[in-house]
Amino acid sequence: MTTSRSEAPGTLGRLNHVGVATPSIERSIEIYRTLLGATAIGEPFDLPAQGVRVCFIDAPNTQIELIEPYDDASPIAGFLRKNPAGGQHHVCFEVPDIDAAVADLKAKGATVLGSPRIGAHGTPIVFVHPKDFGGVLVELMETPDSSHGAQAGT
């Protein structure tokens, strides 16, 4: 199922990707390639606004987003200090309209972390505090239209 712009702002869209923090994108790519036979692997690219390097691995029904910190100031660096081997960082769901979704979440008492900004797929994103989702960090991403796509070329 895909979302459309006419759906309600709080409508849960498709799972776009699972974010996995890693101390080494290259090492993680090799693990996914060797152990799971991944072949649709994008080129790693920098996302300076978020202090990370990113790489997407396509699965038949979603993507894995590998996230490596630029330096110790990166938010992912803090995650890796607690989880040195890396691990699942967040899940990302699509929403039809990011601004409407943020307003809806705030009206329902959720803690939205920051303001919408452009994410790795070139569309607006925002994160919602894990306390609102049973300990899971949730990223909301405005559903890409045909002019958007993962910058990794996947």
Side-chain angles (χ1 to χ4, degrees):
M1 177 191 162
T2 59
T3 60
S4 69
R5 302 261 184 225
S6 62
E7 292 177 1
T11 301
L12 179 66
R14 77 177 193 93
L15 174 67
N16 183 277
H17 65 267
V18 175
V20 176
T22 177
S24 169
I25 283 179
E26 286 74 18
R27 193 166 41 237
S28 292
I29 287 171
E30 193 53 37
I31 290 168
Y32 280 89
R33 182 180 287 129
T34 302
L35 297 181
L36 294 177
T39 57
I41 302 168
E43 287 297 318
F45 62 97
D46 295 337
L47 197 56
Q50 297 192 37
V52 295
R53 191 167 166 242
V54 176
C55 178
F56 286 98
I57 298 175
D58 289 349
N61 58 343
T62 193
Q63 291 182 313
I64 303 298
E65 178 189 37
L66 300 175
I67 318 160
E68 179 183 319
Y70 269 167
D71 55 31
D72 287 339
S74 169
I76 297 302
F79 181 90
L80 290 174
R81 280 191 285 280
K82 296 176 189 169
N83 307 280
Q88 188 216 322
H89 182 261
H90 66 273
V91 294
C92 176
F93 296 102
E94 294 179 8
V95 294
D97 180 315
I98 198 78
D99 293 322
V102 167
D104 186 56
L105 283 165
K106 287 181 176 180
K108 293 175 179 174
T111 303
V112 176
L113 303 173
S115 299
R117 59 193 180 277
I118 300 302
H121 284 86
T123 64
I125 64 154
V126 71
F127 286 89
V128 183
H129 200 285
K131 73 176 178 61
D132 295 315
F133 284 99
V136 177
L137 179 62
V138 171
E139 177 183 5
L140 298 178
M141 177 180 99
E142 192 166 291
T143 302
D145 60 27
S146 60
S147 66
H148 295 105
Q151 293 178 8
T154 57

